[in-house]
C-alpha cells in the first residue's frame, strides 16, 4: 500500500453493500421523520455524560478550514436556567406585543406559542450554541471561515444526536439573544446562535399536526 501524504491518513470506508445501503437510508429516513420539536418537557434528569457525547457528536460536523467555530454551553444549574428564562421572557413579551408583524404572529398560530417559556426551567439541560466569528491569536483577530454555515451544520448534527438518544429538543431563538452572553459570561468573539432545551418529553406532550413537504416539492433532479 502506498504511504500516506504528509498530514494525511488512509480513509476507512464503511463498505455497505448496495442492499444494505438501501435498507439503511430507508430506515434512517423513517427514524428521522419521527423527530419533532417539543415545547413541553419533563423535569426528568439526563446524565451529564449523555450531554457530553451529544456535544462530541455535534462537533463532528464539517466546518470552514476545520476551525470548528462553535462553543456549546450546557446549563443544568437551576439558578442560571431561571435567569435565562426571566431574560428570555422579557424579550419575548416585546416580540409578541409589537416587535413581530401581524403576518408573523398569524404564521405562528398553529404552534400555540406565546412569551411564556416554562421549558427554559423545566428541561434538565439548556444547550446554548455559540458562534465564534473570530479567534484571538496572540491578541490578533483571526476571522473564522463560513462560521454561520459551520455552526448551523453542527447544530443539525446535535439535533440528530439528541433524537438518536430518544430525547427531544427545541430550536429556540429568543430575540435578541445577547442577554445569554451576559448571563453565561462569554467572551466577545462568541455570539449566541441558538438556545436548545434538551430532555424528555412531558408525559402528556402534544405536538402540532404538521406535514412535511413531499420529495417533488423539495428536490429537482437533473
Ligand atoms: N422566538 C419566539 C417566536 C417564534 C418564532 C418562530 I420563526 C418560531 O418558529 C417559533 C417562535 C418564540 O420562541 O416564541
Amino acid at each position: 500500500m502506498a504511504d500516506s501524504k504528509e498530514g494525511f491518513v488512509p480513509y476507512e470506508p464503511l463498505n455497505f453493500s448496495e442492499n444494505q445501503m438501501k435498507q439503511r437510508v430507508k430506515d434512517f429516513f423513517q427514524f428521522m421523520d419521527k423527530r419533532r420539536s417539543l415545547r413541553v418537557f419533563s423535569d426528568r434528569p439526563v446524565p451529564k455524560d449523555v450531554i457530553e457525547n451529544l456535544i462530541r457528536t455535534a462537533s463532528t460536523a464539517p466546518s470552514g478550514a476545520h476551525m470548528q467555530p462553535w462553543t456549546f454551553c450546557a446549563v443544568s444549574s437551576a439558578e442560571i436556567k431561571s435567569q435565562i428564562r426571566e431574560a428570555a421572557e422579557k424579550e419575548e413579551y416585546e416580540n409578541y406585543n409589537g416587535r413581530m408583524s401581524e403576518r408573523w404572529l398569524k404564521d405562528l398560530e398553529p404552534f400555540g406559542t406565546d412569551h411564556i417559556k416554562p421549558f427554559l426551567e423545566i428541561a434538565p439541560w439548556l444547550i446554548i450554541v455559540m458562534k465564534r466569528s473570530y479567534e484571538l491569536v496572540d491578541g490578533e483577530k483571526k476571522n473564522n471561515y463560513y462560521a454561520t454555515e459551520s455552526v448551523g451544520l453542527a447544530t443539525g448534527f446535535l439535533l440528530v444526536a439528541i433524537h438518536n438518544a430518544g430525547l427531544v429538543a427545541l430550536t429556540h431563538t429568543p430575540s435578541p439573544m445577547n442577554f445569554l452572553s451576559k448571563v453565561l459570561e462569554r467572551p466577545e468573539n462568541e455570539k449566541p446562535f441558538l438556545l436548545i432545551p434538551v430532555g424528555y418529553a412531558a408525559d402528556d406532550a402534544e405536538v402540532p399536526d404538521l406535514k412535511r413537504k413531499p420529495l417533488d416539492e423539495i428536490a429537482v433532479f437533473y
Side-chain angles (χ1 to χ4, degrees), residues 129-144:
V129 185
M130 309 293 292
K131 172 170 102 173
R132 302 171 65 99
S133 300
Y134 63 90
E135 305 296 332
L136 273 182
V137 185
D138 300 328
E140 217 186 306
K141 277 189 186 181
K142 305 264 186 205
N143 280 338
N144 279 319

Side-chain angles (χ1 to χ4, degrees), residues 27-172:
D27 291 348
F28 193 62
F29 162 59
Q30 284 169 358
F31 171 70
M32 286 309 300
D33 201 28
K34 290 199 161 69
R35 189 206 57 80
R36 295 302 311 262
S37 294
L38 262 288
R39 290 185 171 78
V40 269
F41 285 77
S42 154
D43 62 1
R44 183 172 163 194
V46 171
K48 185 177 175 206
D49 62 295
V50 170
I51 301 298
E52 288 172 345
N53 277 326
L54 295 176
I55 293 171
R56 284 191 179 100
T57 305
S59 203
T60 67
S63 60
H66 192 53
M67 292 297 175
Q68 299 182 264
W70 44 67
T71 303
F72 298 88
C73 301
V75 177
S76 64
S77 151
E79 194 188 319
I80 299 175
K81 284 195 287 182
S82 68
Q83 284 175 33
I84 290 175
R85 178 178 178 184
E86 194 184 329
E89 287 185 342
K90 229 177 249 167
E91 294 294 356
E92 293 295 358
Y93 180 84
E94 298 301 329
N95 291 336
Y96 282 89
N97 293 278
R99 286 206 293 231
M100 289 194 289
S101 65
E102 283 303 313
R103 180 172 73 90
W104 195 346
L105 291 171
K106 192 126 195 53
D107 282 340
L108 286 179
E109 269 171 20
F111 305 93
T113 57
D114 58 25
H115 73 281
I116 311 285
K117 307 294 182 191
F119 55 78
L120 292 174
E121 285 183 298
I122 296 172
W125 291 93
L126 304 179
I127 300 182
I128 297 89
V129 185
M130 309 293 292
K131 172 170 102 173
R132 302 171 65 99
S133 300
Y134 63 90
E135 305 296 332
L136 273 182
V137 185
D138 300 328
E140 217 186 306
K141 277 189 186 181
K142 305 264 186 205
N143 280 338
N144 279 319
Y145 311 99
Y146 301 101
T148 306
E149 291 83 346
S150 303
V151 180
L153 288 162
T155 304
F157 279 36
L158 179 66
L159 296 175
V160 175
I162 290 167
H163 181 57
N164 179 60
L167 297 170
V168 296
L170 177 68
T171 39
H172 182 43

